Amino acid sequence: MKKVILIFCVLSLLIFIRPALGLGTNSNSTNLNDAVKTEQVENTAESHSYDGAFKGIKQFYNYTGFANATSGHIIMIVIGIVFIFLGIKYDYEPLLLVPIGAGVIMGNIPFVAGNQTGIYETGSVLNYLYFGVVKGVYPPLIFLGIGAMTDFSSLIANPKLMLLGAAAQIGVFATFMGALYLGFNLPEAGAIGIIGGADGPTAIFLSSKLANGVNILADGTTVKNLIGPIAIAAYSYMALVPVIQPPLMRLLISKKDRKIKMKPPRAVSQKEKMIFPVVALILTLFISPSALPLLGMLFFGNLLKESGRTERLADTARTKLIDIVTILLGVTVGASTQADIFITKDSMLIFALGAISFVIATCGGLLFAKFMNLFLKGDNKINPLIGAAGVSAVPDSARVVHHEGLKSDPSNYLLMHAMAPNVSGVIGSAIAAGIILSFLG
């Protein structure tokens, strides 16, 4: 009896749970068909869900840098890494090369256009920061800081050394002629020529006025945007001063001349230091009014330093302000070297012209120093090595001259003497930029 009851219970349980298991009798075939159709719909929905997920993953991949990378992007990223390496490993202008190298990498991360990401896309953060380069805002602020940290005593004590800074500007005009020969139009050639002054801020300022991709020429054509290549070339050769200049010094200056000891410069009074920036400001700007943004800020910064009453302002200009502007300038100039814009025939020609112009500028200063010695006697002679400091790579060029002098004679200290043509080179390159701008702007 117990077995019968157990079997009955089991059968009853099966009857109750069969609908839940999807089982049915022949009379329930309609329900079975409905269940099959429901399962097919669910499978189709599941299939669509998988397709949507796959499309989402595909879309995500299409927005990544891996999908949009080109060989040009990879080349530029490698160049950015090299800049950072040179700045950190070999101490080649790290305050410039490290920000520029980081900017080159940021500017060449592949992206999908139209999302306000790139430096040339209106509304992007980098585009707003780049405004200071395009409109020439950053270079005058750099000159303000340079003026606030520069001591013009050596130039005041020996004014004739200013001629060496002027002689080195031959590189500017030689490069200008070379750019014209290679097919660049007048404004572009003028902007390229300033690379010969080895002055990054001046190169950026002039190229933002002449080769900005906006100005329209008389024949209706638009000038090329060469700000990035010109700035990178100028800063690159500034950083490579310790590599480029010493061989030229040893080639053109005999060992005997490299040992010439110059008499110590006379002491310069504080009154002279205060008067100099005012007088220099008036004289240089009457010669080249177009250089007002650069030279005006340079001598204003120096006046803050020497006045004795505005030390707080001078300290801000030569520390916090110039550091902030250097970061913004370096990163944005580096980011402007997007592969599709930077890797061109024009960029390669600009780099070649920059190298040649830097060599010509260095040689011009060295040879003119030897020429000056033909008219100087006794302890008034100058060591021709300081002519190399006529390029305005302050203060690296002066330091290179000093180290090269010590190699020839460990007791020969040339740093203070070399600073005179070095700072005059800064003034000279700004005047040259103003002259070019007045003719071509």
Side-chain angles (χ1 to χ4, degrees):
M1 187 66 181
K2 291 181 180 179
K3 291 182 180 180
V4 173
I5 295 174
L6 179 62
I7 292 172
F8 177 80
C9 290
V10 170
L11 290 173
S12 300
L13 183 62
L14 287 175
I15 291 171
F16 282 110
I17 69 172
R18 185 161 60 176
L21 296 175
L23 301 175
T25 60
N26 291 334
S27 62
N28 239 353
S29 60
T30 303
N31 293 336
L32 179 61
N33 291 334
D34 291 341
V36 171
K37 289 179 181 179
T38 302
E39 185 177 357
Q40 289 176 346
V41 170
E42 290 176 351
N43 289 338
T44 302
E46 187 175 358
S47 176
H48 285 313
S49 177
Y50 284 132
D51 289 342
F54 180 75
K55 287 179 180 178
I57 294 172
K58 186 178 180 181
Q59 183 176 357
F60 166 74
Y61 174 75
N62 289 334
Y63 274 85
T64 65
F66 299 104
N68 298 285
T70 65
S71 58
H73 290 124
I74 303 303
I75 291 171
M76 291 308 303
I77 289 173
V78 170
I79 290 174
I81 293 172
V82 170
F83 276 19
I84 294 173
F85 175 78
L86 291 175
I88 296 175
K89 177 69 175 179
Y90 296 105
D91 199 27
Y92 289 166
E93 290 285 357
L95 299 182
L96 295 174
L97 289 193
V98 172
I100 290 176
V104 171
I105 294 174
M106 285 189 279
N108 285 279
I109 298 298
F111 60 90
V112 176
N115 291 326
Q116 295 185 341
T117 303
I119 194 168
Y120 295 110
E121 292 189 311
T122 303
S124 71
V125 174
L126 285 175
N127 183 258
Y128 282 120
L129 296 178
Y130 191 51
F131 179 85
V133 174
V134 174
K135 297 300 181 181
V137 176
Y138 296 149
L141 296 177
I142 294 286
F143 265 67
L144 174 65
I146 292 173
M149 65 175 67
T150 300
D151 185 356
F152 286 101
S153 297
S154 55
L155 183 59
I156 299 171
N158 200 350
K160 66 176 178 288
L161 296 183
M162 184 178 291
L163 296 174
L164 297 177
Q169 304 312 311
I170 187 175
V172 172
F173 298 99
T175 310
F176 173 69
M177 299 303 295
L180 287 177
Y181 177 78
L182 291 176
F184 291 96
N185 59 48
L186 278 171
E188 293 165 357
I192 294 169
I194 206 64
I195 298 174
D199 190 336
T202 304
I204 293 172
F205 176 78
L206 191 59
S207 58
S208 70
K209 303 298 182 183
L210 298 179
N212 52 18
V214 176
N215 296 345
I216 307 296
L217 300 176
D219 60 0
T221 60
T222 304
V223 296
K224 299 171 184 174
N225 184 358
L226 303 177
I227 298 175
I230 289 173
I232 294 296
Y235 279 120
S236 297
Y237 294 122
M238 284 175 63
L240 293 175
V241 163
V243 177
I244 298 174
Q245 286 198 325
L248 297 173
M249 295 178 188
R250 292 189 288 268
L251 176 65
L252 297 177
I253 307 301
S254 67
K255 192 168 185 179
K256 179 182 177 182
D257 285 345
R258 294 201 298 268
K259 291 183 177 181
I260 293 177
K261 288 188 176 181
M262 300 174 63
K263 64 180 182 181
R266 70 174 179 84
V268 177
S269 68
Q270 188 61 34
K271 183 180 292 186
E272 287 179 289
K273 291 182 181 180
M274 286 189 289
I275 294 173
F276 175 79
V278 177
V279 174
L281 172 65
I282 295 171
L283 289 179
T284 56
L285 291 182
F286 266 82
I287 294 172
S288 180
S290 298
L292 173 62
L294 299 178
L295 292 176
M297 297 299 271
L298 176 72
F299 292 121
F300 170 56
N302 189 247
L303 181 61
L304 293 177
K305 174 181 181 292
E306 303 297 353
S307 68
R309 302 292 185 180
T310 53
E311 185 57 31
R312 278 178 51 192
L313 300 181
D315 184 62
T316 299
R318 64 173 168 256
T319 54
K320 302 176 182 66
L321 179 61
I322 196 171
D323 289 343
I324 292 171
V325 177
T326 299
I327 292 171
L328 296 176
L329 182 67
V331 170
T332 51
V333 164
S336 70
T337 61
Q338 286 184 191
D340 55 339
I341 294 174
F342 188 80
I343 301 181
T344 63
K345 178 185 175 183
D346 289 339
S347 296
M348 300 304 106
L349 290 176
I350 289 170
F351 268 84
L353 286 170
I356 296 171
S357 69
F358 196 79
V359 170
I360 293 174
T362 301
C363 292
L366 292 169
L367 294 176
F368 193 80
K370 293 182 68 174
F371 175 74
M372 287 179 64
N373 272 344
L374 297 176
F375 305 94
L376 299 174
K377 305 296 181 182
D379 60 357
N380 286 322
K381 284 185 175 292
I382 61 176
N383 189 312
L385 288 177
I386 68 172
V391 299
S392 57
V394 180
D396 278 359
S397 189
R399 282 201 291 255
V400 169
V401 168
H402 178 67
H403 291 153
E404 198 63 28
L406 290 177
K407 289 180 182 178
S408 301
D409 182 352
S411 64
N412 195 6
Y413 297 93
L414 296 175
L415 183 60
M416 283 302 298
H417 301 290
M419 281 303 297
N422 209 185
V423 296
S424 69
V426 176
I427 299 171
S429 64
I431 292 175
I435 293 172
I436 292 173
L437 187 59
S438 63
F439 276 98
L440 305 177

